[in-house]
């Protein structure tokens, strides 16, 4: 069994209008051991101006590596979500993200199938995803990088749907980045679902869902960008942690929330539970 650690997805500073480096320092000040940067392709005005936390894959990967080293934090992975059903976008994006991850020191690249084309059938979508994942897995295997498939969109919103995507490519580089909040909002029971993938788990998005959001959206959506503070919502974190302890590899619980204060409360809550285990 692996060890558990706590990290934070950089979305926690999305509304602060600050740079990636500012967010890394803030994560370290709060006491997080790991961060999960978000990367994008090309150039984005707000990020270039230092008003948003996302990092361009056209930047030097050592920008990320050195920012983490200066702050004394490690990388749990990269948030590199791209529409797997659209290989004209996702093949080169994922391959680029994998090479970037290998150089900056992030062991996992996380993605989901993304929005599908309007004109394709279910079978065509899975063939397109198979093509994309074959190309990405080949690059990941060479570099020792893992690909974390996340439940988030139309096909991965159920255990059977996520498993079908996972089985498209028989590669040791392909695993599961389970999202507690997305699975709950999709209308599924996240605990048996997590148990069914724990042997393939490579990363976890620790996302809690407020009672209000649960009542308004559960069963109507396939996910949400960020949740509330861990411990403030409907997710049973003691149960999640107990399941994650059975994973065969080390797992980082990467908190996905929307504010610095929510990140602080999440860390406090999860630390208490992990320390008590």
């Amino acid at each position: 069994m692996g060890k558990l650690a706590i990290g934070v997805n950089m979305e926690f500073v999305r509304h602060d209008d600050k740079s990636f480096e500012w967010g890394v320092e803030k994560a370290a000040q709060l006491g997080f051991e790991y961060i999960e940067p978000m990367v994008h392709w090309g150039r984005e005005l707000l990020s270039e101006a230092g008003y948003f936390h996302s990092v361009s894959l056209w930047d030097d990967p050592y920008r990320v590596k050195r920012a983490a080293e200066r702050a004394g934090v490690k990388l749990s992975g990269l948030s590199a979500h791209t529409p797997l059903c659209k290989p004209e976008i996702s093949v080169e994006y994922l391959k680029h993200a994998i090479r970037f991850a290998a150089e900056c020191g992030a062991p996992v690249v996380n993605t989901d199938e993304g929005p599908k084309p309007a004109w394709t059938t279910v079978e065509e979508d899975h063939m397109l995803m198979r093509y994309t994942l074959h190309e990405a897995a080949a690059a990941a295997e060479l570099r020792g990088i893992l690909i974390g498939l996340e439940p988030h969109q139309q096909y991965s919103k159920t255990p059977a749907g996520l498993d079908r995507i996972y089985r498209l490519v028989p590669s040791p580089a392909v695993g599961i980045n389970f999202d507690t909040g997305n699975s709950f909002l999709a209308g599924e029971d996240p605990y048996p679902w997590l148990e069914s993938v724990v042997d393939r788990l490579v990363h976890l998005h620790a996302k809690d869902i407020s009672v209000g959001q649960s009542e308004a959206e559960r069963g109507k959506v396939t996910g949400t960008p960020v949740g509330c503070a861990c411990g403030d919502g409907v997710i049973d974190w003691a149960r999640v942690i107990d399941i994650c302890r059975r994973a065969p590899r080390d797992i980082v619980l990467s908190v996905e929330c929307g504010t610095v204060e929510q990140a602080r409360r999440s860390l406090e809550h999860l630390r208490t539970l992990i320390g008590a285990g």
Side-chain angles (χ1 to χ4, degrees):
M1 298 196 321
K3 298 178 181 178
L4 301 185
I6 307 170
V8 66
N9 184 291
M10 296 300 292
E11 289 286 285
F12 85 104
V13 295
R14 66 186 299 179
H15 298 300
D16 282 284
D17 298 332
K18 300 292 186 180
S19 69
F20 167 73
E21 285 79 7
W22 185 91
V24 175
E25 291 292 338
K26 183 61 66 176
Q29 289 168 13
L30 291 174
F32 283 98
E33 185 179 358
Y34 287 87
I35 60 168
E36 181 190 357
M38 183 174 79
V39 293
H40 62 266
W41 219 6
R43 296 296 183 184
E44 196 279 320
L45 179 58
L46 292 179
S47 295
E48 293 300 317
Y51 298 143
F52 196 66
H53 63 84
S54 183
V55 174
S56 173
L57 288 173
W58 291 1
D59 280 343
D60 190 329
Y62 270 58
R63 174 189 174 190
V64 172
K65 181 181 177 71
R66 288 171 176 162
E69 289 175 345
R70 283 195 299 268
V73 296
K74 293 171 279 189
L75 306 178
S76 67
L78 295 182
S79 180
H81 291 266
T82 187
L84 299 180
C85 299
K86 299 178 180 180
E88 75 279 11
I89 302 170
S90 54
V91 169
E92 293 306 320
Y93 175 76
L94 272 183
K95 287 164 65 177
H96 197 160
I98 288 163
R99 294 192 295 268
F100 193 99
E103 195 164 354
C104 73
V108 180
V109 169
N110 294 314
T111 190
D112 63 80
E113 78 265 27
K116 70 184 294 307
W119 52 271
T120 50
T121 67
V122 172
E123 294 305 316
E124 288 169 339
D125 285 336
H126 283 79
M127 179 59 72
L128 292 169
M129 286 191 283
R130 181 170 178 265
Y131 177 85
T132 298
L133 286 173
H134 260 291
E135 291 292 309
E141 287 178 20
L142 290 172
R143 294 166 174 82
I145 300 297
L146 296 169
I147 299 169
L149 298 175
E150 179 178 330
H152 199 121
Q153 298 288 343
Q154 59 276 315
Y155 298 125
S156 60
K157 65 182 180 179
T158 66
L162 182 62
D163 282 353
R164 182 178 181 185
I165 298 172
Y166 170 83
R167 290 194 299 266
L168 289 173
V169 179
S171 168
V174 178
I176 302 296
N177 172 48
F178 194 74
D179 188 301
T180 53
N182 290 350
S183 56
F184 179 87
L185 281 179
E188 298 291 330
D189 186 336
Y191 313 110
W193 190 353
L194 177 56
E195 288 176 338
S196 74
V197 301
V198 71
D199 60 324
R200 297 169 277 162
L201 194 66
V202 298
H203 196 267
L204 185 130
H205 277 169
K207 183 187 292 177
D208 211 338
I209 303 299
S210 69
V211 173
Q213 186 177 11
S214 172
E215 292 174 347
E217 296 185 352
R218 192 173 191 205
K220 301 174 184 178
V221 297
T222 62
T224 189
V226 294
C228 63
C230 294
D232 285 0
V234 298
I235 299 298
D236 184 344
W237 290 105
R239 191 171 176 185
V240 169
I241 288 167
D242 180 64
I243 297 169
C244 287
R245 290 190 192 279
R246 307 172 207 166
R249 69 184 305 274
D250 294 349
I251 298 296
V252 175
L253 281 66
S254 184
V255 172
E256 279 200 321
C257 60
T259 70
V260 171
E261 174 57 22
Q262 288 174 355
R264 184 193 65 76
R265 294 205 308 275
S266 295
L267 179 60
E268 183 178 278
H269 185 71
L270 294 176
R271 265 181 175 169
T272 299
L273 295 173
I274 289 177

